[in-house]
Amino acid sequence: MIYRSLGTTDIKLSQLGFGAMRLPLTEEYDPTKIDEARAREMLHYAINNGINCIDSAYPYHRQKSEIFLGKALKNGYRGRVYLATKMPLWLVKSRHDPGKYLDEQLLRLQTDVIDMYLLHGLSNNSWKTVQEYEILRFLDEMLRDGKIRYAGFSFHDELPLFKEIVDAYPWTFCLIQLNYVDVDYQAGLEGLEYAYKKGLAVMVMEPLRGGKLANSVPQRVLEIIGRSRWKQTPAQFALRWILNRPEITCVLSGMSTLEQVKENIAFASTEHTGTLATEEFRLYAQAREFYRSRTKVNCTQCGYCLPCPQKIPIPFILELLNDACMYDAFDDSRWMYKVFVKPEYRADKCSKCGECEGKCPQKIPVMECLAEADVLLRQNGDDA
Ligand SMILES: NC(=O)c1ccc[n+]([C@@H]2O[C@H](COP(=O)([O-])OP(=O)(O)OC[C@H]3O[C@@H](n4cnc5c(N)ncnc54)[C@H](OP(=O)(O)O)[C@@H]3O)[C@@H](O)[C@H]2O)c1
């Protein structure tokens, strides 16, 4: 395993981290049913083979991920890892709540201290929560009291807000979504460089876009990958692009089988920094262009179309539609549509008022796209 510095601290993190968000299940599509025997085997294999960064969060596996880790890190494993988890900002409704959730997380994880504590999924809205309840001051207090060792944040919004947040507090690290397709999405490459220059360690999530860049990869992309000077799987092709960057401390992978753990650890046991040459970057650009050419709707997720009078989450639904078409990921998008969009706010509830189309800077025919999304994303016979 290759290790990289966590910013200016003296900590060396394994360049591959274990994300505890996609653990194996005993029942498909029920995230509460963690297959604990298999998940423990994967976690212990990972730690015994050099991974020392474990990432969880309050809501993962519908609140079961931290509890699982608390149990699985007994017998000396806890002391061998740096444990990261995240404050559920959307649940914070008073000044009392941050402390309440942190104490609950310490109990679940069966530990006295969280090594890396993140504000979860900062966005325009949750950043307001941080200010309203003085959560940055809370982080200072927790650092002083020794309940957390390092403070960071994960991010899901636009680049200008990312820069504002980077500059607002002496963070040790941040966690951004990055992969070779989404180079200018959310914080993107510009955000990566910005945070790095400001002295933050940068960790990366969703390097395989939740698995879409590794599984059911289109023939055209396989051909592009086949032209690389390395013989490699699509997962390795994607991880190589991340680990090539010296600005990245650790890439989190949400592995869901022992085979994936083994493959990814073997890959992360080699130094990849600065190994990509111009010819290789061309291959990534070609694969990116191919995926982008399959974009169904030119939605940039700006949210100008909102609020919809019917409360339809238009950008989210268009993103699911795009994901389904770009990555042939219809099952994933259908599942997300069913689980995350309540029936009363689904695309078929569009009243065709047209307000969204008047506000869309991209001039997207939103009503038509919603109708198409509803047909494609609704599971057979699913109206619940
Ligand atoms: N803070 C936040 O807002 C936030 C958001 C997202 C993620 N995260 C963290 O970041 C971690 C990483 O994100 P992610 O889980 O989305 O990572 P990811 O690496 O993009 O996706 C993980 C999925 O990729 C597939 N995979 C992994 N290794 C593979 C291999 N060698 N070969 C083939 N397929 C492979 C598996 O999909 P299949 O199971 O389909 O095979 C796995 O479930 C999460 O686990 C979580 O800890 C944080």
Side-chain angles (χ1 to χ4, degrees), residues 105-149:
Q105 290 174 295
L106 289 167
L107 274 177
R108 287 176 173 190
L109 289 161
Q110 305 192 34
T111 187
D112 298 331
V113 58
I114 309 288
D115 301 301
M116 296 180 284
Y117 197 55
L118 298 89
L119 303 186
H120 197 165
L122 279 181
S123 65
N124 207 16
N125 276 344
S126 56
W127 188 230
K128 287 181 190 139
T129 305
V130 171
Q131 277 140 2
E132 183 174 356
Y133 299 115
E134 296 193 73
I135 292 175
L136 298 179
R137 192 194 294 189
F138 169 79
L139 290 179
D140 283 339
E141 285 166 13
M142 294 304 102
L143 286 164
R144 202 184 51 225
D145 293 354
K147 285 191 175 182
I148 65 176
R149 290 182 72 193

Tab-separated table of all heavy atoms in Angstrom, residues 105-149:
chain	number	residue	atom	x	y	z
A	105	GLN	N	-22.775	9.167	17.658
A	105	GLN	CA	-21.852	8.518	16.727
A	105	GLN	C	-20.682	7.854	17.470
A	105	GLN	O	-20.251	6.760	17.112
A	105	GLN	CB	-21.351	9.540	15.697
A	105	GLN	CG	-22.471	9.955	14.743
A	105	GLN	CD	-22.055	11.066	13.797
A	105	GLN	OE1	-21.778	12.192	14.222
A	105	GLN	NE2	-22.005	10.764	12.511
A	106	LEU	N	-20.187	8.533	18.519
A	106	LEU	CA	-19.093	7.935	19.303
A	106	LEU	C	-19.568	6.622	19.937
A	106	LEU	O	-18.831	5.628	19.946
A	106	LEU	CB	-18.634	8.918	20.388
A	106	LEU	CG	-17.860	10.142	19.877
A	106	LEU	CD1	-17.743	11.208	20.970
A	106	LEU	CD2	-16.463	9.746	19.389
A	107	LEU	N	-20.810	6.626	20.407
A	107	LEU	CA	-21.356	5.402	20.998
A	107	LEU	C	-21.495	4.299	19.958
A	107	LEU	O	-21.098	3.159	20.166
A	107	LEU	CB	-22.747	5.686	21.575
A	107	LEU	CG	-22.814	6.232	23.000
A	107	LEU	CD1	-24.269	6.520	23.367
A	107	LEU	CD2	-22.205	5.222	23.979
A	108	ARG	N	-22.067	4.664	18.808
A	108	ARG	CA	-22.270	3.663	17.754
A	108	ARG	C	-20.932	3.064	17.319
A	108	ARG	O	-20.820	1.872	17.079
A	108	ARG	CB	-22.882	4.322	16.519
A	108	ARG	CG	-24.333	4.698	16.660
A	108	ARG	CD	-24.729	5.425	15.398
A	108	ARG	NE	-26.150	5.690	15.342
A	108	ARG	CZ	-26.779	6.142	14.268
A	108	ARG	NH1	-26.111	6.388	13.160
A	108	ARG	NH2	-28.069	6.370	14.270
A	109	LEU	N	-19.935	3.953	17.180
A	109	LEU	CA	-18.640	3.498	16.690
A	109	LEU	C	-17.774	2.899	17.798
A	109	LEU	O	-16.660	2.427	17.524
A	109	LEU	CB	-17.895	4.667	16.017
A	109	LEU	CG	-18.488	5.088	14.672
A	109	LEU	CD1	-18.052	6.498	14.281
A	109	LEU	CD2	-18.085	4.094	13.574
A	110	GLN	N	-18.293	2.960	19.023
A	110	GLN	CA	-17.598	2.392	20.179
A	110	GLN	C	-16.180	2.929	20.291
A	110	GLN	O	-15.209	2.170	20.406
A	110	GLN	CB	-17.593	0.861	20.101
A	110	GLN	CG	-19.003	0.290	19.954
A	110	GLN	CD	-19.038	-1.213	20.175
A	110	GLN	OE1	-18.293	-1.745	20.968
A	110	GLN	NE2	-19.947	-1.891	19.482
A	111	THR	N	-16.082	4.244	20.235
A	111	THR	CA	-14.763	4.876	20.293
A	111	THR	C	-14.857	6.177	21.093
A	111	THR	O	-15.954	6.718	21.275
A	111	THR	CB	-14.233	5.142	18.860
A	111	THR	OG1	-12.893	5.607	18.923
A	111	THR	CG2	-15.074	6.165	18.119
A	112	ASP	N	-13.700	6.691	21.554
A	112	ASP	CA	-13.689	7.943	22.328
A	112	ASP	C	-13.464	9.146	21.428
A	112	ASP	O	-13.669	10.282	21.854
A	112	ASP	CB	-12.527	7.934	23.337
A	112	ASP	CG	-12.675	6.811	24.323
A	112	ASP	OD1	-13.825	6.428	24.592
A	112	ASP	OD2	-11.633	6.316	24.806
A	113	VAL	N	-12.967	8.894	20.231
A	113	VAL	CA	-12.597	10.015	19.363
A	113	VAL	C	-12.819	9.637	17.902
A	113	VAL	O	-12.574	8.504	17.493
A	113	VAL	CB	-11.113	10.427	19.613
A	113	VAL	CG1	-10.165	9.274	19.382
A	113	VAL	CG2	-10.707	11.621	18.746
A	114	ILE	N	-13.307	10.620	17.138
A	114	ILE	CA	-13.407	10.438	15.681
A	114	ILE	C	-12.156	11.102	15.096
A	114	ILE	O	-11.917	12.288	15.326
A	114	ILE	CB	-14.649	11.155	15.099
A	114	ILE	CG1	-15.936	10.780	15.853
A	114	ILE	CG2	-14.755	10.905	13.597
A	114	ILE	CD1	-16.455	9.404	15.635
A	115	ASP	N	-11.379	10.349	14.339
A	115	ASP	CA	-10.131	10.925	13.806
A	115	ASP	C	-10.418	12.042	12.801
A	115	ASP	O	-9.782	13.085	12.826
A	115	ASP	CB	-9.298	9.826	13.129
A	115	ASP	CG	-8.962	8.723	14.103
A	115	ASP	OD1	-8.318	9.020	15.117
A	115	ASP	OD2	-9.398	7.573	13.870
A	116	MET	N	-11.351	11.780	11.900
A	116	MET	CA	-11.656	12.785	10.867
A	116	MET	C	-13.164	13.007	10.864
A	116	MET	O	-13.917	12.107	10.466
A	116	MET	CB	-11.163	12.292	9.507
A	116	MET	CG	-9.644	12.130	9.475
A	116	MET	SD	-9.043	11.557	7.897
A	116	MET	CE	-9.477	9.858	7.959
A	117	TYR	N	-13.579	14.178	11.311
A	117	TYR	CA	-15.017	14.446	11.414
A	117	TYR	C	-15.398	15.452	10.338
A	117	TYR	O	-14.795	16.530	10.234
A	117	TYR	CB	-15.352	14.985	12.809
A	117	TYR	CG	-16.835	14.894	13.128
A	117	TYR	CD1	-17.515	13.687	13.033
A	117	TYR	CD2	-17.548	16.013	13.541
A	117	TYR	CE1	-18.871	13.589	13.322
A	117	TYR	CE2	-18.908	15.921	13.844
A	117	TYR	CZ	-19.559	14.700	13.727
A	117	TYR	OH	-20.900	14.606	14.010
A	118	LEU	N	-16.410	15.077	9.542
A	118	LEU	CA	-16.800	15.936	8.416
A	118	LEU	C	-18.203	16.503	8.622
A	118	LEU	O	-19.076	15.816	9.158
A	118	LEU	CB	-16.836	15.144	7.108
A	118	LEU	CG	-15.557	14.512	6.593
A	118	LEU	CD1	-15.378	13.105	7.151
A	118	LEU	CD2	-15.574	14.448	5.067
A	119	LEU	N	-18.399	17.703	8.161
A	119	LEU	CA	-19.755	18.209	7.989
A	119	LEU	C	-20.243	17.577	6.690
A	119	LEU	O	-19.594	17.713	5.641
A	119	LEU	CB	-19.767	19.740	7.915
A	119	LEU	CG	-19.143	20.441	9.123
A	119	LEU	CD1	-19.352	21.953	9.011
A	119	LEU	CD2	-19.716	19.931	10.437
A	120	HIS	N	-21.364	16.895	6.755
A	120	HIS	CA	-21.765	16.023	5.639
A	120	HIS	C	-22.463	16.788	4.505
A	120	HIS	O	-23.451	17.471	4.727
A	120	HIS	CB	-22.709	14.944	6.169
A	120	HIS	CG	-22.872	13.778	5.247
A	120	HIS	ND1	-23.416	12.592	5.643
A	120	HIS	CD2	-22.548	13.603	3.937
A	120	HIS	CE1	-23.443	11.746	4.630
A	120	HIS	NE2	-22.922	12.344	3.574
A	121	GLY	N	-21.916	16.623	3.305
A	121	GLY	CA	-22.596	17.092	2.095
A	121	GLY	C	-22.918	18.582	2.108
A	121	GLY	O	-24.064	18.960	1.853
A	122	LEU	N	-21.912	19.422	2.336
A	122	LEU	CA	-22.203	20.866	2.376
A	122	LEU	C	-22.756	21.342	1.035
A	122	LEU	O	-22.270	20.982	-0.036
A	122	LEU	CB	-20.954	21.660	2.753
A	122	LEU	CG	-20.635	21.704	4.251
A	122	LEU	CD1	-19.384	22.551	4.511
A	122	LEU	CD2	-21.804	22.245	5.065
A	123	SER	N	-23.787	22.163	1.147
A	123	SER	CA	-24.446	22.747	-0.021
A	123	SER	C	-24.926	24.111	0.435
A	123	SER	O	-24.786	24.477	1.612
A	123	SER	CB	-25.639	21.893	-0.439
A	123	SER	OG	-26.604	21.932	0.593
A	124	ASN	N	-25.535	24.833	-0.480
A	124	ASN	CA	-26.031	26.164	-0.150
A	124	ASN	C	-26.900	26.147	1.106
A	124	ASN	O	-26.708	26.947	2.029
A	124	ASN	CB	-26.838	26.655	-1.356
A	124	ASN	CG	-26.834	28.148	-1.422
A	124	ASN	OD1	-26.018	28.795	-0.762
A	124	ASN	ND2	-27.753	28.708	-2.172
A	125	ASN	N	-27.829	25.206	1.165
A	125	ASN	CA	-28.749	25.135	2.306
A	125	ASN	C	-28.052	24.746	3.593
A	125	ASN	O	-28.238	25.379	4.636
A	125	ASN	CB	-29.860	24.104	2.032
A	125	ASN	CG	-30.965	24.734	1.228
A	125	ASN	OD1	-31.055	25.959	1.137
A	125	ASN	ND2	-31.788	23.896	0.634
A	126	SER	N	-27.252	23.678	3.519
A	126	SER	CA	-26.652	23.200	4.773
A	126	SER	C	-25.579	24.169	5.272
A	126	SER	O	-25.303	24.238	6.462
A	126	SER	CB	-26.095	21.786	4.610
A	126	SER	OG	-25.183	21.736	3.562
A	127	TRP	N	-24.984	24.938	4.369
A	127	TRP	CA	-24.016	25.957	4.792
A	127	TRP	C	-24.723	27.028	5.641
A	127	TRP	O	-24.156	27.560	6.584
A	127	TRP	CB	-23.338	26.556	3.561
A	127	TRP	CG	-22.190	27.475	3.840
A	127	TRP	CD1	-22.017	28.729	3.324
A	127	TRP	CD2	-21.026	27.238	4.652
A	127	TRP	NE1	-20.850	29.279	3.770
A	127	TRP	CE2	-20.221	28.382	4.592
A	127	TRP	CE3	-20.600	26.160	5.447
A	127	TRP	CZ2	-19.002	28.499	5.276
A	127	TRP	CZ3	-19.390	26.265	6.134
A	127	TRP	CH2	-18.615	27.414	6.043
A	128	LYS	N	-25.985	27.279	5.318
A	128	LYS	CA	-26.769	28.220	6.146
A	128	LYS	C	-27.007	27.621	7.542
A	128	LYS	O	-26.949	28.324	8.548
A	128	LYS	CB	-28.124	28.520	5.478
A	128	LYS	CG	-27.975	29.426	4.271
A	128	LYS	CD	-29.329	29.733	3.650
A	128	LYS	CE	-29.129	30.439	2.310
A	128	LYS	NZ	-30.048	29.990	1.276
A	129	THR	N	-27.271	26.326	7.577
A	129	THR	CA	-27.448	25.654	8.872
A	129	THR	C	-26.175	25.797	9.717
A	129	THR	O	-26.228	26.053	10.917
A	129	THR	CB	-27.749	24.148	8.662
A	129	THR	OG1	-28.877	24.047	7.812
A	129	THR	CG2	-27.992	23.424	9.953
A	130	VAL	N	-25.033	25.612	9.046
A	130	VAL	CA	-23.749	25.720	9.760
A	130	VAL	C	-23.624	27.092	10.407
A	130	VAL	O	-23.213	27.223	11.573
A	130	VAL	CB	-22.579	25.479	8.773
A	130	VAL	CG1	-21.230	25.801	9.415
A	130	VAL	CG2	-22.602	24.049	8.269
A	131	GLN	N	-24.033	28.117	9.670
A	131	GLN	CA	-23.915	29.465	10.223
A	131	GLN	C	-24.955	29.712	11.317
A	131	GLN	O	-24.646	30.236	12.381
A	131	GLN	CB	-24.033	30.499	9.107
A	131	GLN	CG	-22.686	30.688	8.425
A	131	GLN	CD	-22.777	30.841	6.927
A	131	GLN	OE1	-23.862	30.856	6.351
A	131	GLN	NE2	-21.638	30.948	6.276
A	132	GLU	N	-26.185	29.289	11.035
A	132	GLU	CA	-27.263	29.546	11.992
A	132	GLU	C	-26.965	28.942	13.367
A	132	GLU	O	-27.218	29.573	14.399
A	132	GLU	CB	-28.582	28.967	11.441
A	132	GLU	CG	-29.753	29.251	12.354
A	132	GLU	CD	-31.071	28.802	11.723
A	132	GLU	OE1	-31.080	28.354	10.563
A	132	GLU	OE2	-32.091	28.916	12.430
A	133	TYR	N	-26.406	27.732	13.385
A	133	TYR	CA	-26.183	27.072	14.675
A	133	TYR	C	-24.711	27.104	15.102
A	133	TYR	O	-24.309	26.316	15.971
A	133	TYR	CB	-26.719	25.639	14.619
A	133	TYR	CG	-28.207	25.612	14.354
A	133	TYR	CD1	-28.729	25.075	13.191
A	133	TYR	CD2	-29.096	26.186	15.279
A	133	TYR	CE1	-30.090	25.078	12.943
A	133	TYR	CE2	-30.464	26.202	15.039
A	133	TYR	CZ	-30.949	25.646	13.862
A	133	TYR	OH	-32.307	25.665	13.616
A	134	GLU	N	-23.947	27.992	14.486
A	134	GLU	CA	-22.528	28.194	14.862
A	134	GLU	C	-21.771	26.862	14.951
A	134	GLU	O	-21.093	26.566	15.948
A	134	GLU	CB	-22.444	28.954	16.175
A	134	GLU	CG	-23.033	30.357	16.050
A	134	GLU	CD	-22.684	31.223	17.244
A	134	GLU	OE1	-21.521	31.642	17.346
A	134	GLU	OE2	-23.586	31.471	18.049
A	135	ILE	N	-21.887	26.076	13.905
A	135	ILE	CA	-21.286	24.741	13.929
A	135	ILE	C	-19.760	24.801	13.778
A	135	ILE	O	-19.054	23.909	14.261
A	135	ILE	CB	-21.971	23.846	12.866
A	135	ILE	CG1	-23.423	23.598	13.316
A	135	ILE	CG2	-21.249	22.529	12.679
A	135	ILE	CD1	-24.280	22.851	12.341
A	136	LEU	N	-19.247	25.860	13.197
A	136	LEU	CA	-17.781	25.966	13.104
A	136	LEU	C	-17.196	26.160	14.506
A	136	LEU	O	-16.148	25.601	14.837
A	136	LEU	CB	-17.378	27.119	12.173
A	136	LEU	CG	-17.848	26.946	10.715
A	136	LEU	CD1	-17.422	28.138	9.867
A	136	LEU	CD2	-17.307	25.647	10.104
A	137	ARG	N	-17.913	26.938	15.323
A	137	ARG	CA	-17.464	27.095	16.704
A	137	ARG	C	-17.563	25.750	17.447
A	137	ARG	O	-16.700	25.409	18.258
A	137	ARG	CB	-18.315	28.155	17.416
A	137	ARG	CG	-17.657	28.514	18.748
A	137	ARG	CD	-18.568	29.265	19.652
A	137	ARG	NE	-18.891	30.573	19.108
A	137	ARG	CZ	-19.533	31.496	19.801
A	137	ARG	NH1	-19.884	31.268	21.033
A	137	ARG	NH2	-19.830	32.654	19.248
A	138	PHE	N	-18.611	25.002	17.134
A	138	PHE	CA	-18.762	23.660	17.733
A	138	PHE	C	-17.553	22.780	17.362
A	138	PHE	O	-17.008	22.064	18.217
A	138	PHE	CB	-20.066	23.019	17.235
A	138	PHE	CG	-20.203	21.570	17.573
A	138	PHE	CD1	-20.593	21.176	18.844
A	138	PHE	CD2	-19.920	20.589	16.625
A	138	PHE	CE1	-20.702	19.815	19.166
A	138	PHE	CE2	-20.030	19.247	16.937
A	138	PHE	CZ	-20.422	18.860	18.212
A	139	LEU	N	-17.120	22.857	16.100
A	139	LEU	CA	-15.954	22.051	15.693
A	139	LEU	C	-14.731	22.442	16.524
A	139	LEU	O	-13.971	21.578	16.995
A	139	LEU	CB	-15.662	22.245	14.201
A	139	LEU	CG	-16.672	21.639	13.221
A	139	LEU	CD1	-16.264	21.946	11.775
A	139	LEU	CD2	-16.792	20.122	13.407
A	140	ASP	N	-14.536	23.760	16.716
A	140	ASP	CA	-13.410	24.223	17.546
A	140	ASP	C	-13.459	23.589	18.929
A	140	ASP	O	-12.448	23.110	19.450
A	140	ASP	CB	-13.471	25.753	17.726
A	140	ASP	CG	-12.980	26.487	16.487
A	140	ASP	OD1	-12.249	25.870	15.688
A	140	ASP	OD2	-13.334	27.678	16.325
A	141	GLU	N	-14.651	23.598	19.507
A	141	GLU	CA	-14.800	23.056	20.870
A	141	GLU	C	-14.496	21.558	20.900
A	141	GLU	O	-13.829	21.066	21.806
A	141	GLU	CB	-16.236	23.281	21.374
A	141	GLU	CG	-16.493	24.728	21.778
A	141	GLU	CD	-17.987	24.999	21.950
A	141	GLU	OE1	-18.783	24.045	22.007
A	141	GLU	OE2	-18.344	26.190	21.998
A	142	MET	N	-14.987	20.843	19.884
A	142	MET	CA	-14.781	19.388	19.864
A	142	MET	C	-13.306	19.042	19.631
A	142	MET	O	-12.788	18.070	20.176
A	142	MET	CB	-15.656	18.734	18.777
A	142	MET	CG	-17.143	18.832	19.049
A	142	MET	SD	-17.637	18.132	20.641
A	142	MET	CE	-17.860	19.599	21.632
A	143	LEU	N	-12.635	19.874	18.822
A	143	LEU	CA	-11.195	19.662	18.609
A	143	LEU	C	-10.453	19.887	19.929
A	143	LEU	O	-9.582	19.106	20.316
A	143	LEU	CB	-10.668	20.641	17.547
A	143	LEU	CG	-11.058	20.320	16.095
A	143	LEU	CD1	-10.838	21.524	15.178
A	143	LEU	CD2	-10.240	19.119	15.583
A	144	ARG	N	-10.854	20.933	20.640
A	144	ARG	CA	-10.207	21.269	21.914
A	144	ARG	C	-10.473	20.174	22.964
A	144	ARG	O	-9.582	19.767	23.683
A	144	ARG	CB	-10.758	22.608	22.403
A	144	ARG	CG	-9.851	23.331	23.386
A	144	ARG	CD	-10.507	24.587	23.888
A	144	ARG	NE	-11.844	24.327	24.388
A	144	ARG	CZ	-12.928	25.064	24.113
A	144	ARG	NH1	-12.836	26.123	23.342
A	144	ARG	NH2	-14.105	24.762	24.609
A	145	ASP	N	-11.733	19.659	22.971
A	145	ASP	CA	-12.086	18.629	23.960
A	145	ASP	C	-11.576	17.241	23.582
A	145	ASP	O	-11.750	16.285	24.344
A	145	ASP	CB	-13.620	18.530	24.108
A	145	ASP	CG	-14.191	19.800	24.722
A	145	ASP	OD1	-13.394	20.671	25.130
A	145	ASP	OD2	-15.429	19.916	24.780
A	146	GLY	N	-11.040	17.106	22.386
A	146	GLY	CA	-10.481	15.815	21.981
A	146	GLY	C	-11.518	14.804	21.523
A	146	GLY	O	-11.219	13.620	21.405
A	147	LYS	N	-12.733	15.260	21.220
A	147	LYS	CA	-13.720	14.291	20.702
A	147	LYS	C	-13.508	14.045	19.212
A	147	LYS	O	-13.940	13.024	18.676
A	147	LYS	CB	-15.145	14.804	20.938
A	147	LYS	CG	-15.580	14.674	22.386
A	147	LYS	CD	-17.063	14.941	22.515
A	147	LYS	CE	-17.520	14.702	23.941
A	147	LYS	NZ	-18.954	14.907	24.107
A	148	ILE	N	-12.900	15.011	18.531
A	148	ILE	CA	-12.514	14.798	17.133
A	148	ILE	C	-11.047	15.250	16.982
A	148	ILE	O	-10.590	16.115	17.728
A	148	ILE	CB	-13.419	15.573	16.137
A	148	ILE	CG1	-13.282	17.090	16.298
A	148	ILE	CG2	-14.869	15.190	16.327
A	148	ILE	CD1	-14.080	17.881	15.257
A	149	ARG	N	-10.358	14.624	16.035
A	149	ARG	CA	-8.939	14.994	15.857
A	149	ARG	C	-8.750	15.997	14.724
A	149	ARG	O	-7.940	16.898	14.818
A	149	ARG	CB	-8.094	13.751	15.581
A	149	ARG	CG	-7.971	12.860	16.797
A	149	ARG	CD	-7.087	11.669	16.514
A	149	ARG	NE	-5.680	12.029	16.399
A	149	ARG	CZ	-4.755	11.205	15.919
A	149	ARG	NH1	-5.087	10.001	15.508
A	149	ARG	NH2	-3.508	11.579	15.839
